[in-house]
Amino acid sequence: MSVIRLLVLGAVRQHGRAHGYQVRNDLEYWGAHEWSNAKPGSIYHALKQMAKQGLLHAHEIAPSTAGGPPRTEYEVTERGTEEFFRLLREALTSYDQKPDVLSAGLGLMVDLERREALSLLEQRMRAIGEWRKAVTEYYTPEEGPAQLGHIGEIMDFWVHSADTGAAWTRGLIERIRGGAYTFAGEGEPFVGVLAEGEENPYATGERHPGDRH
């Protein structure tokens, strides 16, 4: 799945309307440039592509009094909202994706209702269990990795990863069941984006031509 599309749609949704540099600033504020492919070029490319695909509506606004080209503000369309939730649900349930997929899903999971978030995470638990069962049809963890030579270390890693992933997911489910965090429909959401003009302490400072648009 495309992590950058999920992140960009999520950032624009939280603003209502946002220009490209705001989106870039938010993703750097989230640290997404460290744990995903959310670099300036990919962010601006995703905005333009999703506008062409009808997932975002591009509003051209007047240039600033300081001059320069007019900026474009983006707003998520109905199709874009459907795509956002499709990607979010996939991110929370797909156990065999790269860590950036789950990270993006966790950062946006409160856009779902609590009950659905729990259902998706329980689905993730079942998928991890099925994966572990498939591995242990060929590998017996109790006998150790040496039973298959050094290749057994791969199986051992998979089993340990499954166990760790399941334990962590179980803990998250318990926290959410216990009332942690504010999910959709429960009141004022957590504000995870920067206000216009608010300084970003985590900004990279890297300049990109797309910052002007």
Side-chain angles (χ1 to χ4, degrees), residues 135 145 150-159:
V135 173
H150 73 282
I151 301 301
E153 294 293 348
I154 299 173
M155 303 291 192
D156 197 57
F157 169 70
W158 287 347
V159 169

Side-chain angles (χ1 to χ4, degrees), residues 54-73:
L55 305 178
L56 294 172
H57 181 70
H59 302 269
E60 191 171 279
I61 60 174
S64 67
T65 53
R71 272 194 156 164
T72 302
E73 284 189 342

Side-chain angles (χ1 to χ4, degrees), residues 85-103:
F85 282 110
R86 185 189 72 78
L87 292 170
L88 177 54
R89 290 171 181 128
E90 182 182 338
L92 291 174
T93 55
S94 300
Y95 71 95
D96 56 349
Q97 298 276 11
K98 294 179 180 178
D100 59 344
V101 175
L102 178 57
S103 297

Side-chain angles (χ1 to χ4, degrees), residues 43-213:
I43 293 168
Y44 296 131
H45 177 72
L47 286 165
K48 291 177 182 177
Q49 282 296 107
M50 288 194 287
K52 288 179 183 177
Q53 294 164 357
L55 305 178
L56 294 172
H57 181 70
H59 302 269
E60 191 171 279
I61 60 174
S64 67
T65 53
R71 272 194 156 164
T72 302
E73 284 189 342
Y74 296 92
E75 184 176 11
V76 180
T77 64
E78 186 175 338
R79 280 183 57 199
T81 299
E82 291 173 359
E83 176 71 354
F84 168 75
F85 282 110
R86 185 189 72 78
L87 292 170
L88 177 54
R89 290 171 181 128
E90 182 182 338
L92 291 174
T93 55
S94 300
Y95 71 95
D96 56 349
Q97 298 276 11
K98 294 179 180 178
D100 59 344
V101 175
L102 178 57
S103 297
L106 293 172
L108 297 164
M109 68 177 177
V110 293
D111 283 22
L112 298 164
E113 292 184 353
R114 185 179 299 269
R115 181 164 49 180
E116 182 177 10
L118 284 168
S119 175
L120 293 170
L121 290 168
E122 286 162 358
Q123 185 177 331
R124 182 184 188 86
M125 283 281 294
R126 289 192 294 273
I128 293 172
E130 289 167 5
W131 164 244
R132 190 188 193 282
K133 183 179 178 182
V135 173
T136 54
E137 286 180 1
Y138 305 96
Y139 171 70
T140 306
E142 294 76 16
E143 295 181 9
Q147 62 189 287
L148 298 174
H150 73 282
I151 301 301
E153 294 293 348
I154 299 173
M155 303 291 192
D156 197 57
F157 169 70
W158 287 347
V159 169
H160 277 276
S161 296
D163 290 343
T164 302
W168 175 84
T169 305
R170 193 177 301 112
L172 175 58
I173 288 172
E174 290 171 359
R175 289 189 291 278
I176 293 173
R177 278 186 182 147
Y181 318 121
T182 302
F183 285 80
E186 296 182 347
E188 287 298 314
F190 176 81
V191 178
V193 293
L194 295 162
E196 180 75 43
E198 184 179 354
E199 185 177 350
N200 179 3
Y202 309 111
T204 63
E206 176 189 346
R207 296 190 176 188
H208 188 277
D211 294 344
R212 299 192 299 270
H213 302 292

